[in-house]
Amino acid sequence: MERIQQALERVKQPQVQQGEVVTASSSLRDTVPDPIRYSGTKTRPSNLEDLVARRVLTSDQHSPFVDAYKILRTQVLHRLKEHRWNVIGVTSPGAQEGKTIVAVNLAISLALEPNHTALLIDANLRNPQIHQLFDVDNYGLADYLLDQVSVSELLIHPEIDRLVVMPAGGPVKNSVETLTLAKMTTLVQELKHRYTSRIVVFDLPPVLDTADVIGIAPRLDALILVVEEGKTTEKRIREALASVRETVPVLGVVMNKAGRLSGGVSS
């Protein structure tokens, strides 16, 4: 009875997400809270068939592919909780090794966990891709950092429960100088401390191709390195890990496209 009373009290409280006041209708399904209604953030409905075709997770999928991301999510959440972290970056040694799709699917998987929300930010200012996966305008982080655009104008809810996306904007030629502006430090600190249940996932450029990751790394709690089975060499993995060793902890290495017939992702 006490638990039910506590649940009733919780659903009476207004919930604040991404700078907006939203409301939650009552429900006693403790483990599956009602969807958050974003009253100010722009909502752009996602085409589920398009998402699946792009290998993006959806809430109604059931497959070894989805299970692999749930395992990854659980491992990541354990490490984040252990250190009280909530801001992570996803990168890879080189280009075309699957880091963006891993960042997107990890963020969705985190958002599907009822106790958390997720904010996915495209910080690959030279080659932004997340707006293409969600089929939204490329208006985002660079516009905040370089112009007088507010964060609230740049956030998009793709109608995936508890997920908000900020595209990259750009492309920006001087990306490392942009990502190391004092304004970026302020933004990360604001995002880190505003909501305790929110996990912020940055999709970053490849770590060995530019100085961008090394530049932004001190502002993050941790990194995840994505490698592609059969493509990324051991030498490149060692070089990537060595390049950030002194600046940010690495949570682990995710092997993308492992066992392609089963759509596997392993860590």
Side-chain angles (χ1 to χ4, degrees):
M1 180 63 76
E2 181 179 358
R3 188 180 183 191
I4 294 175
Q5 184 62 41
Q6 291 173 347
L8 286 169
E9 292 300 323
R10 282 199 300 272
V11 298
K12 290 176 182 176
Q13 301 297 320
Q15 298 181 20
V16 180
Q17 295 292 333
Q18 317 304 353
E20 302 158 1
V21 176
V22 296
T23 59
S25 60
S26 65
S27 171
L28 293 181
R29 293 177 298 173
D30 299 11
T31 58
V32 184
D34 290 341
I36 294 172
R37 288 183 291 164
Y38 294 86
S39 60
T41 297
K42 291 175 289 188
T43 296
R44 296 289 183 270
S46 299
N47 184 304
L48 296 183
E49 291 184 359
D50 288 345
L51 292 180
V52 171
R54 296 165 184 160
R55 295 179 61 79
V56 174
L57 294 184
T58 61
S59 59
D60 58 351
Q61 284 179 292
H62 302 281
S63 69
F65 177 69
V66 176
D67 290 337
Y69 276 103
K70 289 183 177 179
I71 293 172
L72 175 63
R73 175 189 68 191
T74 303
Q75 293 171 332
V76 168
L77 285 175
H78 283 168
R79 292 293 305 278
L80 295 181
K81 183 178 180 181
E82 179 182 351
H83 296 280
R84 305 182 72 176
W85 290 336
N86 65 344
V87 180
I88 57 177
V90 180
T91 186
S92 58
Q96 304 297 318
E97 291 173 318
K99 63 168 188 54
T100 295
I101 199 67
V102 170
V104 169
N105 285 337
L106 175 60
I108 292 173
S109 183
L110 289 165
L112 293 176
E113 205 279 330
N115 296 314
H116 296 90
T117 64
L119 171 58
L120 172 66
I121 300 178
D122 191 346
N124 190 350
L125 301 185
R126 293 195 187 193
N127 185 26
Q129 296 183 29
I130 285 179
H131 67 287
Q132 296 173 346
L133 291 173
F134 289 100
D135 197 21
V136 297
D137 293 335
N138 185 28
Y139 186 57
L141 180 60
D143 300 282
Y144 167 78
L145 294 173
L146 300 175
D147 298 314
Q148 301 301 316
V149 182
S150 68
V151 170
S152 60
E153 294 178 72
L154 304 173
L155 298 177
I156 296 172
H157 172 50
E159 286 200 337
I160 296 174
D161 286 350
R162 297 180 292 280
L163 176 70
V164 171
V165 174
M166 181 190 288
V172 176
K173 186 176 180 180
N174 297 318
S175 53
V176 66
E177 290 83 0
T178 304
L179 290 171
T180 53
L181 290 170
K183 200 172 181 180
M184 184 68 186
T185 303
T186 302
L187 174 65
V188 175
Q189 287 301 307
E190 161 68 13
L191 297 176
K192 176 176 177 61
H193 295 292
R194 188 158 191 172
Y195 306 115
T196 57
S197 64
R198 180 169 63 187
I199 309 297
V200 183
V201 179
F202 282 92
D203 178 37
L204 301 172
V207 66
L208 295 180
D209 289 356
T210 71
D212 293 19
V213 175
I214 299 173
I216 195 176
R219 295 159 179 79
L220 308 174
D221 289 331
L223 272 183
I224 292 174
L225 185 70
V226 177
V227 303
E228 181 179 338
E229 186 181 52
K231 178 178 179 179
T232 313
T233 64
E234 185 176 340
K235 178 175 181 291
R236 296 276 287 177
I237 296 173
R238 287 201 302 269
E239 290 174 348
L241 293 173
S243 70
V244 297
R245 182 172 298 141
E246 302 298 326
T247 53
V248 63
V250 176
L251 283 184
V253 177
V254 175
M255 182 171 289
N256 189 37
K257 301 180 183 177
R260 297 186 185 191
L261 291 178
S262 61
V265 175
S266 61
S267 61

